[in-house]
Amino acid sequence: MRLCISGGSAMPVEVLRRFEDRFGCVVLEGYGLSETSPVASFNHADRLREPGSIGGPIGGVEMRIVDESGHELPGGEVGEIAVRGHNVMRGYWNNAEATAAVLSPDGWFNTGDMGRREEDGLYFIVDRKKDMIIRGGFNVYPREIEEVLYKHPAVGEAAVIGLPHPELGEEIAAVVALAPGATVTTDELRAHVNRQVAPHKYPRHVWIVDSLPKGPTGKILKREINPPATWQYPTPGTELGATR
């Protein structure tokens, strides 16, 4: 095996590294949506590649990072990924309002994905805009925390979500399915993340499940993740604890 490609959902960098080490091949990751028919960017075998990157725009396609007002941001800053090109849809069928919300008059499609462009021209996905957690006024992107969780050898799959908190607005929670035969405590997982991220980012609440809900293509469905039946919403002034 010499080459593999990945798309449809962001591949954790640690999973990519493990796969490449085990099979001795290169994994090239791409990016796109149904609205972009369906590829917008890709890494190329004969060009610079950095693990975690979605590469650059394919031929005939433009990409940029924009702020809430649609203004382009400089390299390195996080904003929404916008795409323009022959691959972008004309609009949503019989839904002019939804079309106008994401497609500008000059053809730029706002993807709903947050990302950044590095000086070398490579793009990186940060997370879905709607998945961002706002904890005590700080923006926390779940993918950053998930990447750290995947570095733990006991973690097979992980998903980070926000739960309501009476004082902070949202609290960070992590749901983990262990690798076959692995054992770890929730306190150990919290400590693992806490050592590698800012204090406001580590998940105060962690629980371990047999498996995470997935759609037909294998994507983890965060909208179907619910706290355990024994979990209760915290009372004001309390922290979420780690429970199995």
Side-chain angles (χ1 to χ4, degrees):
M1 188 183 298
R2 293 177 298 157
L3 183 68
C4 292
I5 62 173
S6 175
S9 184
M11 175 181 286
V13 173
E14 187 61 27
V15 173
L16 183 148
R17 294 187 191 279
R18 290 178 188 174
F19 189 94
E20 290 186 342
D21 288 344
R22 180 170 297 182
F23 293 98
C25 68
V26 174
V27 178
L28 299 180
E29 196 167 5
Y31 166 75
L33 307 92
S34 299
E35 293 90 340
T36 61
S37 307
V39 181
S41 71
F42 218 87
N43 283 280
H44 299 269
D46 59 346
R47 302 181 192 173
L48 174 68
R49 183 208 66 146
E50 187 172 339
S53 166
I54 56 171
I58 62 174
V61 175
E62 300 173 85
M63 289 175 60
R64 64 184 187 181
I65 305 295
V66 299
D67 61 18
E68 291 287 344
S69 301
H71 298 123
E72 187 170 3
L73 294 171
E77 291 196 23
V78 174
E80 186 172 1
I81 297 174
V83 179
R84 182 168 69 176
H86 58 275
N87 61 328
V88 174
M89 66 170 185
R90 291 184 178 181
Y92 296 115
W93 181 253
N94 290 333
N95 196 335
E97 184 177 352
T99 300
V102 298
L103 197 60
S104 70
D106 57 350
W108 284 102
F109 169 66
N110 287 343
T111 64
D113 287 310
M114 305 297 286
R116 70 180 191 277
R117 183 189 69 256
E118 296 299 331
E119 297 301 329
D120 55 16
L122 295 179
Y123 284 76
F124 291 78
I125 297 290
V126 175
D127 220 320
R128 287 292 292 171
K129 188 175 182 180
K130 64 182 180 181
D131 288 340
M132 183 180 70
I133 301 168
I134 303 178
R135 181 185 187 274
F138 290 95
N139 294 346
V140 179
Y141 294 100
R143 186 180 177 187
E144 178 188 357
I145 313 306
E146 291 162 359
E147 292 281 3
V148 176
L149 283 166
Y150 273 105
K151 292 179 181 179
H152 195 289
V155 174
E157 294 179 329
V160 172
I161 60 174
L163 295 177
H165 190 282
E167 295 179 346
L168 299 172
E170 288 183 286
E171 185 58 280
I172 303 164
V175 191
V176 174
L178 300 184
T183 58
V184 69
T185 68
T186 53
D187 283 340
E188 288 170 339
L189 289 175
R190 287 204 303 168
H192 167 75
V193 179
N194 191 22
R195 288 192 296 268
Q196 302 180 61
V197 301
H200 65 278
K201 291 183 177 181
Y202 80 91
R204 269 58 173 181
H205 188 80
V206 179
W207 67 90
I208 295 173
V209 296
D210 293 332
S211 62
L212 294 171
K214 300 182 183 68
T217 61
K219 289 184 182 180
I220 295 174
L221 301 178
K222 290 188 178 183
R223 64 179 180 273
E224 294 187 9
I225 295 176
N226 296 305
T230 56
W231 183 83
Q232 295 181 348
Y233 287 102
T235 56
T238 63
E239 284 281 338
L240 290 173
T243 60
R244 173 87 185 207

